[in-house]
Amino acid sequence: MARGKFITFEGIDGAGKTTHLDWFRTRLQDKLTSHARAVVMTREPGGTPLGETLRGILLNQPMDLETEALLMFAARREHLAQVIEPALARGDWVLSDRFSDATFAYQGGGRGLPRDKLEALERWVQGGFQPDLTVLFDVPTDTASERRSAARAPDKFESESESFFERTRHEYLRRAAESPQRFFIVDSTRPIDEIRVKLEEAIATL
């Protein structure tokens, strides 16, 4: 059976990507039903027992910036080995809430870790592996801030300043400009029905 495809959802906290994950998974499954393939939905950090343990630490515990980046990539290596690579090999498709673009955006853009260190970790952990499609939900930081304030109690990233999220958003957009063939940018300020029309367009490219 042909290799499956790997799709990621990205965006700053408050961009609204989580609102569309289940809907997108259902639409992908509809597309694949006749091919007897499944859609595996997962997330980062997380996706495995070890990854979920590290998620709790990463989202809530203060730590050195380089420690944070190393733990993100450690969780990712386990995620690739235990979930993503086996699913793709058996022909399933994988939909992940975040992947390595988030590390470049948050630890690189937001926190200021030099890009060359992240690129070295990316090469080590992923080789040349990248998603087949990355859907980037883009939204102004003030809009995202309003959405976050209406949500649950924030984790340590969600509690960051607006300037942090400006830098994070800028790095996401830089990554998208660097790999336009991989990224599909969605204006997340639009109404939900309009966003889902755009997401149908993204599915049609797969």
Side-chain angles (χ1 to χ4, degrees):
M1 182 176 288
R3 174 189 177 277
K5 293 191 176 183
F6 181 41
I7 303 104
T8 56
F9 270 28
E10 296 281 2
I12 63 174
D13 288 286
K17 61 182 175 55
T18 306
T19 302
H20 302 282
L21 267 169
D22 282 333
W23 179 89
F24 195 87
R25 180 195 60 79
T26 300
R27 296 298 296 122
L28 279 182
Q29 192 60 72
D30 291 344
K31 179 184 178 80
L32 297 175
T33 295
S34 62
H35 302 286
R37 299 185 185 208
V39 176
V40 176
M41 193 156 71
T42 188
R43 67 177 182 175
E44 288 205 351
T48 67
L50 175 60
E52 292 296 326
T53 298
L54 292 174
R55 180 185 179 88
I57 296 170
L58 283 161
L59 297 189
N60 297 290
Q61 297 297 320
M63 64 188 69
D64 180 80
L65 171 56
E66 292 191 352
T67 302
E68 188 175 273
L70 288 164
L71 288 177
M72 288 288 186
F73 274 102
R76 182 162 300 128
R77 181 58 250 168
E78 187 74 1
H79 196 202
L80 282 162
Q82 300 299 327
V83 177
I84 298 171
E85 291 170 346
L88 297 178
R90 64 178 179 260
D92 291 339
W93 289 28
V94 179
L95 174 60
S96 183
D97 183 353
R98 301 198 187 282
F99 191 60
S100 55
D101 294 302
T103 308
F104 278 84
Y106 279 77
Q107 281 69 49
R111 296 229 194 277
L113 187 67
R115 195 182 304 160
D116 61 341
K117 292 187 176 184
L118 292 171
E119 288 171 344
L121 288 170
E122 185 181 46
R123 285 192 299 272
W124 182 26
V125 169
Q126 299 167 221
F129 180 80
Q130 292 291 349
D132 295 285
L133 174 70
T134 296
V135 181
L136 174 60
F137 290 81
D138 184 48
V139 67
T141 53
D142 56 347
T143 302
S145 178
E146 291 173 6
R147 293 175 178 177
R148 289 194 303 276
S149 66
R152 65 190 186 285
D155 60 40
K156 76 176 188 184
F157 293 103
E158 294 166 335
S159 300
E160 285 285 354
S161 66
E162 190 158 329
S163 60
F164 170 89
F165 283 107
E166 284 283 3
R167 297 189 299 272
T168 302
R169 181 190 183 201
H170 182 270
E171 178 62 11
Y172 266 130
L173 293 173
R174 187 199 68 80
R175 294 274 287 181
E178 187 176 74
S179 304
Q181 74 288 348
R182 174 165 69 85
F183 277 82
F184 188 95
I185 300 177
V186 173
D187 178 357
S188 196
T189 65
R190 306 305 300 165
I192 287 177
D193 57 345
E194 292 184 20
I195 290 173
R196 289 183 174 172
V197 169
K198 295 298 293 182
L199 293 177
E200 289 282 7
E201 293 177 16
I203 291 170
T205 69
L206 294 165

